[in-house]
Amino acid sequence: MKWFSAMLRFLIWVGPEVRGRGRSVVLLRAADHEAAFAAALARGRALERDFVNADGEEVRWRLQLVETIDELEEELADGREVYSEPFPPVEIAPVDDPRHPEDLHPGSSGV
């Protein structure tokens, strides 16, 4: 069995219309790429959910597609990156701008 990561994309329905999308990256064990795809589909379906939001509207998360499947190393090392996404900066900062990430404590993703 090999380790794979899969990025799942969800459509977020609020009432009768799509109001957003969501992504989830999951780790899977599978024999090969095709088995990983089947496992990713099954996991994505298991992550679908329905609830009522604070405004009393029905919210439904539905799997739209499996965006990516990547085979990882046999042994998962501590700190192994499984997802990376570049995005435009909110502010333009000079390359030598001193940031101190150790002073900014992370929040929770809700997982």
Side-chain angles (χ1 to χ4, degrees):
M1 299 291 273
K2 302 173 185 176
W3 281 105
F4 292 85
S5 67
M7 181 181 296
L8 311 175
R9 185 190 308 167
F10 295 87
L11 289 177
I12 305 167
W13 294 78
V14 180
E17 62 187 49
V18 174
R19 295 234 190 118
R21 295 184 303 173
R23 284 187 174 135
S24 180
V25 176
V26 297
L27 297 178
L28 307 164
R29 299 266 300 166
D32 56 30
H33 191 273
E34 286 304 311
F37 179 56
L41 287 171
R43 184 66 186 135
R45 295 281 186 219
L47 289 172
E48 292 181 335
R49 56 195 180 269
D50 298 337
F51 59 92
V52 176
N53 68 15
D55 294 327
E57 299 170 303
E58 180 184 3
V59 178
R60 294 171 290 142
W61 282 61
R62 295 292 181 264
L63 180 65
Q64 181 183 21
L65 62 93
V66 176
E67 283 191 42
T68 63
I69 295 178
D70 294 295
E71 185 176 337
L72 306 175
E73 292 91 20
E74 298 242 352
E75 284 294 318
L76 289 181
D78 184 33
R80 168 65 160 95
E81 183 177 66
V82 295
Y83 176 69
S84 174
E85 179 180 12
F87 55 92
V90 175
E91 61 186 56
I92 303 301
V95 174
D96 62 348
D97 184 18
R99 299 292 172 155
H100 301 282
E102 63 277 1
D103 295 335
L104 304 172
H105 294 281
S108 173
S109 68
V111 177

